Amino acid sequence: MSRLRCDHAPAWAQLQAHYAASGQAFDTRTAFADDAQRFAHFSQAAPHVFVDLSKNHIEAATEALLQTLAQQCGLAAHRDAMFAGEKINTTEGREVWHVLLRAPRDAATASAHEAAELAKVHRTLDAMLAYAEQVRADAAITDVVNIGIGGSDLGPQMAVLALQAFAHPGKRMHFVSNVDGHELDATLAKLRPESTLFLIASKTFTTIETMTNAASAKRWFEAAGGHNIARHFAALTTNVAAANEFGIDTTFGFWDWVGGRYSLWSAIGLPIAIAIGADGFRDFLAGAHAMDQHFRHAPLPANAPVRMGLLDVWYRNFHGFSSRSVAPYHSALRRLPAYLQQLEMESNGKRVDSQGQALPFGTSPVPWGESGTNGQHAYFQMLHQGTDVVPVEFVAVKKARHTLQGHHTLLLANVLAQAQALMVGKADAGGHKHFPGNRPSTVLLLDDLTPASLGALIALQEHRVFVSGALWGINSFDQWGVELGKVLAKDIAPRLDNGDASGLDASTAGLLAMLRA
Ligand code: F6P
């Protein structure tokens, strides 16, 4: 079944009319007053995550029209095509199969090809987890340095931090991503070669930042007397030949059907596995798989990622909200906003549809944010009283893993209070003290922050991004927009040495001259 771009579907015009008639002037406070069941109607359980959408600018008619839109656009067929391993990444001619990375060994497969790929997944997973256990048991290795960038950094870094309560106490995990030498230099200063394991994480094994850092790490290791590369370096890559060429023989592979920003479930997740162990990593995959099953099988009106993705379309294309603040009320989730930025903006930051036609509507919102309660003392002023409406997505975790008295109650009270304040506002004061209220927010509630619940939370986010991208008719799985800067940096680097400014614009030439002076 072919996809229909959202603005070509009949429901699009109906949604425009609905927005003009009642969407624009929607008031959440009135909606709660009018519907005693509103919380029940607009919230739902999904695996490991409870999703409360009730404080958003939606009513039953909005959701019904968005659901019709999803049907008319062929969302379910597109989702099924992803799960079936069709080459929905059309501009690169690739399957989009990260869901296979978390499918159980004995999962039903729909084709011989899928069965073969699943077998490869589990062979590699077994080998990688055995290696993770070997590293965990090796008391002489105290420091693990992941060298990678983008999807080869953000996911593992976010997850290792999020799951610190489950982490091996004897392993310090470091993440070096930036080509800025200050980062590697500061990390190396803390290390001894004989107790360090470097993981060179790069899908392509060509990314200039990672290759530069890896080469410097290897030089440092050898200069400091290190010799056993096989023991102290491993590569996580689809390009095993390039890793071998670099001098690394311990390699864990994955496949071109794993997008970089979807790769933490693959060998790229090795730092997570070293931190939390093989069983923990399997729980992480199982949590994601539970969310995959929900996305795949739950009826669309009761499908959490579908409802969230449709709300994203409603906000972006009808309300015109161009960003979303992500506020995890758990300090271990403080890298979540950065992770979600790559997930959403690299996936859906596209200006043409999958046919290459320019889009007449907005696509990716900008996810941004800080962990709570810190954000409250920084940017929440703007959320409450600024001129722009920014939907907020709170993440709250019921259970604390510390015993400090009073803290967690206060933390949870603040989540509820902020979501409440955004909605109810404060009308009995004028001027500077007036809060308009009616500002939308979502609460994602986890019972506990565990490998399984984190896996489910991340898969939920992946799928909600899939949903909006599917309706927008774009290819959410390529990233051509990062290429131009890479090419230009290659052109400029030698000019910083030789001073050649020919063909450069006056600003670039002027700055080049200043940097050389
Ligand atoms: O910046 C583009 C990008 O290709 C991301 O999509 C990717 O996650 C990152 O670079 C790193 O790529 P690699 O894992 O191949 O080094």
Side-chain angles (χ1 to χ4, degrees), residues 149-152 202-204 207 260-261 342 346 479 482 486:
I149 197 164
S152 300
S202 176
K203 177 176 172 181
T204 54
T207 305
R261 54 194 172 275
Q342 187 197 16
E346 203 167 74
Q479 55 284 318
V482 301
K486 290 186 192 171

Side-chain angles (χ1 to χ4, degrees), residues 147 184 188 198 200 212-222 233:
I147 293 181
L184 180 62
L188 293 178
F198 290 98
I200 312 303
T212 305
N213 279 324
S216 296
K218 195 168 156 219
R219 270 197 304 274
W220 171 86
F221 178 78
E222 287 167 342
F233 283 78

Side-chain angles (χ1 to χ4, degrees), residues 14-261:
Q14 288 174 282
L15 277 157
Q16 283 170 328
H18 171 65
Y19 178 73
S22 67
Q24 195 168 16
F26 181 83
D27 193 308
T28 327
R29 294 158 295 198
T30 318
F32 271 104
D34 290 349
D35 178 6
Q37 296 304 310
R38 182 172 172 83
F39 175 64
H41 286 158
F42 296 99
S43 64
Q44 73 164 90
H48 301 283
V49 187
F50 181 81
V51 181
D52 177 18
L53 299 173
S54 66
K55 294 195 195 74
N56 283 290
H57 291 197
I58 35 169
E59 52 192 311
T62 321
E63 276 212 309
L65 282 171
L66 288 167
Q67 288 286 337
T68 306
L69 182 70
Q71 271 166 24
Q72 292 172 351
C73 292
L75 172 67
H78 194 51
R79 174 201 60 193
D80 295 345
M82 172 174 73
F83 277 97
E86 286 177 33
K87 294 190 172 171
I88 62 168
N89 176 358
T90 46
T91 60
E92 296 180 310
R94 291 175 181 168
E95 302 97 335
V96 174
W97 237 349
H98 46 277
V99 291
L100 206 59
L101 297 170
R102 49 230 193 187
R105 199 183 301 274
D106 57 355
T109 48
S111 64
H113 175 51
E114 185 178 352
E117 295 303 291
L118 185 62
K120 280 201 292 197
V121 163
H122 280 276
R123 266 200 305 279
T124 307
L125 179 62
D126 292 344
M128 164 199 156
L129 294 183
Y131 180 74
E133 286 299 332
Q134 181 192 316
V135 173
R136 283 165 66 82
D138 185 344
I141 298 292
T142 55
D143 292 84
V144 179
V145 185
N146 188 81
I147 293 181
I149 197 164
S152 300
D153 165 67
L154 290 163
Q157 194 183 150
M158 175 273 297
V160 164
L161 182 62
L163 299 173
Q164 60 193 1
F166 298 82
H168 190 302
K171 308 287 169 202
R172 281 182 295 267
M173 309 297 294
H174 310 267
F175 290 87
V176 175
S177 53
N178 204 321
V179 74
D180 179 351
H182 294 105
E183 202 172 284
L184 180 62
D185 194 47
T187 305
L188 293 178
K190 296 181 242 169
L191 304 174
R192 290 173 309 131
E194 63 274 19
S195 56
T196 301
L197 170 64
F198 290 98
L199 303 176
I200 312 303
S202 176
K203 177 176 172 181
T204 54
F205 227 78
T206 58
T207 305
I208 189 81
E209 291 91 337
T210 302
M211 293 302 105
T212 305
N213 279 324
S216 296
K218 195 168 156 219
R219 270 197 304 274
W220 171 86
F221 178 78
E222 287 167 342
H227 40 82
N228 194 347
I229 296 275
R231 173 165 159 76
H232 293 277
F233 283 78
L236 323 175
T237 185
T238 60
N239 190 354
V240 172
N244 296 156
E245 176 83 0
F246 181 85
I248 301 181
D249 293 323
T250 310
T251 60
F252 298 95
F254 56 111
W255 308 277
D256 69 359
W257 47 257
V258 182
R261 54 194 172 275

Side-chain angles (χ1 to χ4, degrees), residues 417-457:
Q418 286 300 323
Q420 189 187 28
L422 285 164
M423 177 173 75
V424 298
K426 190 164 187 289
D428 59 354
H432 303 293
K433 296 191 174 165
H434 177 75
F435 285 65
N438 199 32
R439 303 226 155 169
S441 69
T442 296
V443 175
L444 303 180
L445 182 60
L446 313 184
D447 258 351
D448 193 2
L449 184 58
T450 62
S453 70
L454 182 71
L457 177 68

Side-chain angles (χ1 to χ4, degrees), residues 262-430:
Y262 300 89
S263 64
L264 78 171
W265 320 100
S266 72
I268 293 293
L270 181 58
I272 310 171
I274 292 174
I276 67 172
D279 290 347
F281 195 79
R282 290 194 191 277
D283 287 349
F284 178 60
L285 297 177
H289 179 67
M291 189 60 76
D292 294 341
Q293 294 292 90
H294 171 76
F295 180 49
R296 197 172 184 180
H297 300 296
L300 299 195
N303 192 310
V306 170
R307 292 174 87 183
M308 288 170 67
L310 293 177
L311 181 61
D312 292 339
V313 171
W314 176 237
Y315 278 170
R316 185 71 187 96
N317 302 124
F318 297 90
H319 284 276
F321 303 151
S322 56
S323 84
R324 174 171 71 250
S325 186
V326 181
Y329 274 59
H330 195 305
S331 66
L333 288 172
R334 63 184 175 275
R335 293 293 299 170
L336 184 65
Y339 172 80
L340 293 178
Q341 284 178 340
Q342 187 197 16
L343 176 62
E344 186 147 9
M345 295 202 278
E346 203 167 74
S347 296
N348 286 346
K350 311 285 163 69
R351 54 171 289 285
V352 298
D353 65 18
S354 56
Q355 309 301 311
Q357 299 299 312
L359 295 171
F361 50 76
T363 58
S364 176
V366 180
W368 58 280
E370 257 298 331
S371 54
T373 59
N374 294 9
Q376 290 172 215
H377 300 277
Y379 61 82
F380 269 53
Q381 163 65 36
M382 181 269 199
L383 302 181
H384 287 290
Q385 291 187 315
T387 49
D388 292 298
V389 174
V390 178
V392 184
E393 193 161 290
F394 296 98
V395 182
V397 181
K398 190 170 152 192
K399 186 171 159 191
R401 291 201 164 250
H402 62 77
T403 52
L404 296 173
Q405 212 182 342
H407 288 248
H408 205 59
T409 306
L410 211 47
L411 181 71
L412 294 177
N414 271 280
V415 183
L416 296 183
Q418 286 300 323
Q420 189 187 28
L422 285 164
M423 177 173 75
V424 298
K426 190 164 187 289
D428 59 354

